[in-house]
Amino acid sequence: MAPQDALLGWDEDTTAEAYAAFTRAHPMYGSTSCDLARRAHLADSRLVVDLCGGTGATAEAILALAPADARVISLDNAPAMQRIGRRTLADPRLSWVTAPAEELAQHAPAGGVDAVVCNSAIWKTNISVVFAAVRRVLQPGGRFVFNVGGGFANVIHPDQQTGRIGPSLNTLIRQVAARDYGYTPPPVADRNGPKLPLETITEQLAATGLALVDTEVTAQHSTMAEKKAWLSIPVFARPDGDFTHAQRMDILAKAYAQTSPDAPTVTSWLVVVAEQPEGRP
């Protein structure tokens, strides 16, 4: 089953608006989307799926690299996210389909698709079902490209280890919450346990029949100001537990006040490229 914490809150207007505003103001999603689209080898593609496409940041990157006559299907199960996307990304080559990732095969054309790209969201799906659906719809030689946040995948890029100056914003948030709200953080093992390590991904791809082509741990460089903006989005706000959003924003503001807006931050990503074998049945 998909992790329950990944399924809540996305179909809320406040989250959709804040998420869309973040993607317009900050480079993280645009940068990771461009990276995934490049790895998908879209030069000859005619139909591409943006899986868990949200408000369309990844679809926009796909459209920029795909041929002029290519079409993109953005599939997401949160109508609120897609409402924002339809308003901000009007392109006749882009179709919006409201459905969970697990139902991909039910919404792909009979002729199949040339690539499936998923930015930042594969961990919140039932991957055994999703991988099987991707296998069903991909054309021979077609690529399935996705990424997983370093904390979820249990990977860390060397830049994240060497580039940190002082405590992370998440650490400061937990300290402020403990001081001002009596918050007791969960044990480190529970808090940082990987949700989708590479070993699990490799096993599931093999079980499905998709060929693993490449994996890479990449680094996303940003600033403390961007990190604060990301943690202001309701579904990403911290800490977990019985807090109102207003309380979380109070905690975030106090934690952020202990940092510098331009202080560098680094996040790690596990990028995975799989492929439909030639001559599939």
Side-chain angles (χ1 to χ4, degrees), residues 19 22-23 25-34 119-120 147 220-222 226-227 230 233 236 267 269:
Y19 177 89
F22 178 89
T23 63
H26 299 282
M28 185 184 80
Y29 283 106
S31 176
T32 52
S33 293
C34 289
N119 190 358
S120 311
N147 57 12
Q220 179 70 25
H221 295 260
S222 59
E226 182 174 4
K227 182 71 171 180
W230 187 75
I233 300 171
F236 298 139
T267 54
W269 295 85

Side-chain angles (χ1 to χ4, degrees), residues 36 146-150 153-155 196-199 201 214-218 268-272:
L36 296 179
F146 60 91
N147 57 12
V148 184
N154 198 30
V155 298
L196 191 56
L198 178 58
E199 294 79 4
I201 292 170
D214 188 33
T215 65
E216 183 181 357
V217 178
T218 65
S268 300
W269 295 85
L270 172 64
V271 182
V272 179

